[in-house]
Amino acid sequence: MNMKKSATALLAVASLWASASANDQIRIVGSSTVYPFTSYVAEELGAITNFATPVVESTGSGGGMKIFCAGVGLDTPSFTNASRAMKPKEFETCQKNGVTEITGLMVGYDGISIAQSKENPKLNLTKEQIFLALAQEVPSKDGKSLIANPYKKWSDIDASLPKREIRMIGAPSTSGTRDSFDEMVMEKASKSFPIYGGKYKKIRTDGAYIPGGENDNLIVQQLAQDKDALGYFGYSFLEENHDKIAGVTLNGVEPTAENIADGSYPVSRSMFVYMKNAHIGKIKGVSEFIELYATESMIGQRGVLRTIGLIPMPKEMLKKVQTSVKNKTLLTKEMVEAHTILPLK
Amino acid sequence: METKINKNNNFYIPQIEKRNKQSKRFRLYALSAVVLSLSFLAFFLIDIIKAGIPAFTQSSVKIEISIDEETANNPYGILERDMSRLVSRAWLRSFPKEIEAHPEWIGTTQTFWALLNAEADQYLKGTQSKLKENQKSKLDALLQEGLIERKFNATFFFTGDSKIPENAGFYAAIVGSVLTMLVTMSLAVPIGVMTAVYLEEFAPDNKLTQIIEININNLAAIPSILFGLLGLAIFINFFGVPRSSPLAGGMTLALMSLPIIIVSSKAALKSVPASIRQAGYALGLTKWQVTKDHVLPLAFPGVLTGSIIALAQAMGETAPLIIVGMIAFVPDPVTSLTSAATVMPAQIFTWSGMPERAYIEKTAAGIMVLLTVLISLNTIAVLLRKKFEVKW
């Protein structure tokens, strides 16, 4: 009987709390790639100001957009992280649900680096070679038809490549990293083969491509043990583990922070944070958070986020982003279609 | 214990030696299974403890800072360049607030034990570090002069999560777990026990109650992630309970523990002999009085054990909490049942995915804390059962 009483009391207290809970905590959802950077800034906001530390949840870019665009109520998140620009379809959903005022912030770049165990000799691949190694169907020798992928070793594709078995450990199909890899490596390379007609289908499923977990640390550990295998993941994991793994050069370009920032490394993407302007003034710290995020000391060339793997954008670009954030530039349909958060001229 | 078998014995069975050998082999198989599982456990524990022990200490460096107004404005500039590369950014960041709290420091020189950053700490602990050679030799020199000390890592137990590895702690997750478990227990135990009492003592034995019982047994075997989906659909989307709150997480876990508590409580009630009830009725007690004053108290140890084991299981659960949003970056310890929180297994999960090396030891240390809590809970369950157990 006592237990029942205490349960009723607890529920009563809980409901009291619920009704009294002021929305004084920012909520952020979205991409797992942007998550560490946003969390860092969230922590900084909590540490140097009197605002409550925002809560950051990693839901994936697409999942984040869905929750973010659900409405303008105070129980919806104020920001969403995205490791790609907002898609026109997502923008439409947002508009339809009343989330009409959105301001975007560009955070910086992330490179998808391909790596191998450090004990191997250096390796250089082209996108086309990776495509031939991993696609389900590849052009036949005479180039006239598509056949099931026959390649077992890298040397089967090009005699200059080592006689290593083809084994690529990568992200599972739910991951944004996998989306980017598919888009920037596989789809792009498929355009070099006319027979494909620009319609890349899918990665081979006969065991040469091994979907690892969402946890990139596990891929790093597997690479350290399996000398034949290659793996791909976000650049920060390569940087943290230089004692175990080494980057594979792509079209002759090394995956380094400089090469990713200036765009010479061919597999890099931009990261964004989108703000729901309707929450400014209703939830404490919303505009302070995005302004703190845009400062030089966070995402600038010498900013702290660089130490946890962010590849900062050039100075002039940052200036533009800062002005846009300060003016709370609203996202328009044209901007979304141009994959940018900056006002079009 | 082998005795020589006399083959001329009249009762001699020709196959006996073969059978004896078979029996011996079987014993060996069974024994090796035990040894194998024990060695897996030992391997796991040793691996975790080896990785986790370093996290319980943390190096600090003794520094002197002359404090003026300028210090509060730019805390990152107070140290010499080579030193500021070694001291934790989190420590410097909190410095202005320290000065604010101690205005008498302004104009004086104070001595501090400043937290070293993760890279320096990892180097001192002898693991791989990204420090440059001159920074390493600087650290070695400081160590020689006795200016570096490795102390108990209080940060780990008294702060929440952080993206700065040396500043990351388990406290927010512990508080979150406690609150979540409070919600779970205060819902699941009364509902579970009352369901068991009704089914065992009052319900008529018909098709309907049989179906209910079978379904409760089935529920206990359902993958926990499904309860997470249920929690999301009912509590968060329908009733509007805030996402990632201990209330949402606790109610979801309560759903998950209910069948376990019901099944074990029913077993405990069943083990109370019928003679107790009959004696009660013979004295003119009502069913309610018999249940309340005699059957329930006697079944109490079993109910308690079942509840504690359900609690321990819920405490280590991660999958349903991913769905209700409790795997999030929540550095502040939770203050109410409706604000965002994280729990111990969720924190371990988050750390395990971080790229920085220093989080490996944090992950292992977190696992050690969680295991300690779970083992103590199970021990308490065993002890309580031993203490209150009634032999019939």
Side-chain angles (χ1 to χ4, degrees):
Chain A
M1 201 57 198
N2 256 339
M3 280 192 258
K4 194 184 165 191
K5 255 186 204 156
S6 58
T8 334
L10 194 109
L11 274 185
V13 173
S15 53
L16 205 79
W17 250 325
S19 58
S21 97
N23 274 297
D24 51 3
Q25 202 168 24
I26 301 174
R27 302 197 54 111
I28 307 171
V29 292
S31 162
S32 54
T33 315
V34 192
Y35 163 82
F37 307 117
T38 303
S39 309
Y40 198 105
V41 181
E43 188 188 337
E44 187 88 1
L45 185 81
I48 63 173
T49 67
N50 290 323
F51 296 115
T53 311
V55 172
V56 193
E57 205 184 318
S58 137
T59 61
S61 300
M65 288 292 177
K66 220 167 123 190
I67 312 176
F68 178 79
C69 290
V72 287
L74 293 185
D75 54 345
T76 60
S78 312
F79 296 93
T80 185
N81 299 319
S83 56
R84 51 168 174 75
M86 187 183 267
K87 291 179 185 165
K89 223 178 176 175
E90 290 163 343
F91 184 70
E92 268 167 39
T93 318
C94 258
Q95 300 286 325
K96 218 172 59 205
N97 291 332
V99 190
T100 46
E101 298 187 333
I102 303 168
T103 296
L105 162 77
M106 184 173 158
V107 177
Y109 305 99
D110 177 45
I112 293 178
S113 46
I114 301 172
Q116 59 173 350
S117 161
K118 211 183 155 189
E119 283 160 42
N120 288 318
K122 278 204 166 176
L123 183 63
N124 177 48
L125 295 173
T126 64
K127 279 188 186 177
E128 284 72 26
Q129 286 165 344
I130 296 175
F131 175 83
L132 289 178
L134 296 181
Q136 172 98 318
E137 290 184 319
V138 293
S140 59
K141 280 268 184 295
D142 56 8
K144 281 189 186 132
S145 59
L146 288 175
I147 51 168
N149 196 329
Y151 304 116
K152 295 261 182 292
K153 293 190 158 135
W154 288 100
S155 51
D156 297 344
I157 297 169
D158 191 318
S160 67
L161 290 173
K163 278 205 174 73
R164 276 163 62 182
E165 236 176 273
I166 297 174
R167 233 188 346 264
M168 175 74 89
I169 311 173
S173 54
T174 47
S175 154
T177 314
R178 168 73 177 270
D179 287 346
S180 304
F181 183 81
D182 276 353
E183 186 187 302
M184 291 191 286
V185 180
M186 302 300 283
E187 265 173 51
K188 222 167 200 174
S190 73
K191 302 214 166 95
S192 325
F193 303 101
I195 176 83
Y196 239 93
K199 271 196 214 125
Y200 156 70
K201 282 196 204 91
K202 58 180 191 177
I203 273 182
R204 67 200 282 189
T205 48
D206 56 357
Y209 181 87
I210 307 158
E214 285 273 12
N215 189 329
D216 290 345
N217 273 330
L218 288 181
I219 302 183
V220 171
Q221 278 174 27
Q222 284 174 36
L223 288 185
Q225 269 155 24
D226 184 351
K227 308 245 159 0
D228 278 347
L230 300 180
Y232 70 83
F233 30 72
Y235 171 72
S236 53
F237 285 86
L238 174 62
E239 192 181 83
E240 279 298 321
N241 294 289
H242 272 307
D243 60 324
K244 285 187 197 154
I245 51 173
V248 171
T249 53
L250 205 55
N251 299 347
V253 187
E254 190 105 28
T256 61
E258 294 81 45
N259 291 341
I260 294 169
D262 65 18
S264 57
Y265 185 73
V267 202
S268 69
R269 52 181 167 172
S270 310
M271 298 185 285
F272 300 93
V273 172
Y274 292 96
M275 171 172 69
K276 197 177 281 173
N277 296 16
H279 281 185
I280 296 174
K282 290 201 182 125
I283 295 177
K284 284 179 211 154
V286 168
S287 54
E288 283 83 357
F289 175 77
I290 201 158
E291 272 160 29
L292 175 69
Y293 211 145
T295 52
E296 193 91 4
S297 62
M298 285 290 142
I299 57 175
Q301 290 290 336
R302 299 190 161 278
V304 280
L305 294 189
R306 221 186 47 149
T307 60
I308 58 167
L310 178 78
I311 297 157
M313 60 193 118
K315 217 170 184 169
E316 307 77 58
M317 180 83 172
L318 180 61
K319 279 258 158 61
K320 280 187 210 159
V321 170
Q322 282 170 335
T323 330
S324 158
V325 163
K326 212 168 162 205
N327 298 338
K328 310 243 149 46
T329 310
L330 294 183
L331 210 59
T332 63
K333 202 170 169 227
E334 290 71 36
M335 281 155 70
V336 171
E337 273 158 8
H339 302 293
T340 178
I341 47 98
L342 295 172
L344 302 167
K345 260 143 236 150
Chain B
M1 291 290 282
E2 229 166 298
T3 42
K4 193 88 182 135
I5 298 166
N6 180 8
K7 288 194 181 173
N8 298 327
N9 186 339
N10 283 339
F11 298 102
Y12 176 69
I13 310 165
Q15 303 94 327
I16 191 69
E17 277 180 14
K18 201 175 160 201
R19 286 189 199 166
N20 278 347
K21 261 188 203 147
Q22 260 176 347
S23 133
K24 228 176 168 178
R25 261 205 307 275
F26 182 71
R27 201 188 123 187
L28 214 66
Y29 292 148
L31 183 70
S32 58
V34 174
V35 171
L36 192 71
S37 47
L38 273 184
S39 57
F40 275 132
L41 182 67
F43 176 77
F44 167 72
L45 281 181
I46 290 170
D47 192 49
I48 291 288
I49 291 172
K50 223 174 78 191
I53 286 285
F56 294 109
T57 56
Q58 167 77 41
S59 313
S60 307
V61 63
K62 197 177 184 179
I63 47 171
E64 287 191 345
I65 299 175
S66 53
I67 296 163
D68 50 40
E69 257 105 59
E70 183 55 31
T71 340
N73 292 333
N74 182 16
Y76 306 112
I78 51 179
L79 295 174
E80 288 162 49
R81 226 181 121 93
D82 55 343
M83 189 60 117
S84 68
R85 290 266 163 86
L86 299 174
V87 170
S88 167
R89 192 171 179 281
W91 190 83
L92 291 172
R93 189 171 65 188
S94 61
F95 203 59
K97 278 194 176 169
E98 285 287 304
I99 297 177
E100 221 172 275
H102 302 273
E104 70 276 9
W105 284 355
I106 290 176
T108 63
T109 301
Q110 298 281 339
T111 311
F112 297 97
W113 280 99
L115 198 65
L116 281 175
N117 68 24
E119 292 300 334
D121 189 51
Q122 291 292 303
Y123 172 68
L124 292 169
K125 283 172 182 167
T127 37
Q128 193 259 349
S129 154
K130 284 192 298 182
L131 289 183
K132 298 199 179 74
E133 279 314 310
N134 59 342
Q135 291 169 322
K136 287 182 183 170
S137 51
K138 166 111 186 161
L139 274 177
D140 290 334
L142 285 169
L143 199 62
Q144 286 270 307
E145 290 168 44
L147 291 175
I148 286 180
E149 242 178 43
R150 209 162 132 184
K151 293 183 232 177
F152 172 69
N153 187 357
T155 316
F156 185 76
F157 291 99
F158 296 107
T159 61
D161 193 10
S162 169
K163 291 287 144 181
I164 302 176
E166 65 273 16
N167 192 38
F170 214 41
Y171 180 64
I174 296 174
V175 176
S177 269
V178 169
L179 269 188
T180 309
M181 282 309 119
L182 275 181
V183 175
T184 303
M185 280 289 103
S186 50
L187 287 175
V189 172
I191 297 177
V193 173
M194 284 194 282
T195 310
V197 167
Y198 181 78
L199 288 177
E200 203 54 45
E201 303 291 327
F202 295 96
D205 188 21
N206 58 20
K207 273 260 157 61
L208 184 71
T209 45
Q210 276 168 12
I211 289 174
I212 290 175
E213 279 184 34
I214 291 170
N215 278 314
I216 287 171
N217 286 331
N218 284 340
L219 267 185
I222 275 184
S224 57
I225 190 126
L226 294 182
F227 289 105
L229 288 169
L230 192 67
L232 177 70
I234 296 181
F235 300 135
I236 295 179
N237 291 345
F238 188 71
F239 286 113
V241 175
R243 225 179 129 75
S244 346
S245 63
L247 193 62
M251 292 201 292
T252 307
L253 291 179
L255 286 183
M256 203 194 80
S257 346
L258 261 180
I260 305 168
I261 296 180
I262 296 174
V263 169
S264 61
S265 304
K266 266 172 53 102
L269 289 167
K270 211 171 239 162
S271 73
V272 176
S275 53
I276 299 277
R277 295 184 184 85
Q278 282 152 5
Y281 297 141
L283 290 172
L285 298 182
T286 61
K287 206 158 193 179
W288 160 235
Q289 283 172 314
V290 169
T291 308
K292 178 185 69 152
D293 296 331
H294 300 277
V295 178
L296 252 188
L298 287 171
F300 183 67
V303 171
L304 200 68
T305 316
S307 305
I308 293 178
I309 285 171
L311 169 80
Q313 199 179 7
M315 193 168 239
E317 198 57 65
T318 328
L321 298 181
I322 299 179
I323 311 271
V324 295
M326 290 194 87
I327 311 250
F329 178 67
V330 190
D332 296 342
V334 58
T335 48
S336 82
L337 285 180
T338 52
S339 46
T342 188
V343 291
M344 287 195 266
Q347 184 66 75
I348 292 168
F349 178 76
T350 313
W351 281 343
S352 75
M354 297 289 295
E356 286 88 358
R357 282 298 187 81
Y359 283 110
I360 294 175
E361 59 177 51
K362 301 265 178 203
T363 310
I367 293 173
M368 283 165 71
V369 173
L370 181 61
L371 274 183
T372 314
V373 173
L374 293 184
I375 291 172
S376 2
L377 274 179
N378 284 333
T379 317
I380 290 172
V382 171
L383 290 180
L384 283 177
R385 189 172 50 202
K386 279 257 159 70
K387 190 164 173 316
F388 292 114
E389 204 167 40
V390 187
K391 287 257 157 62
W392 304 103

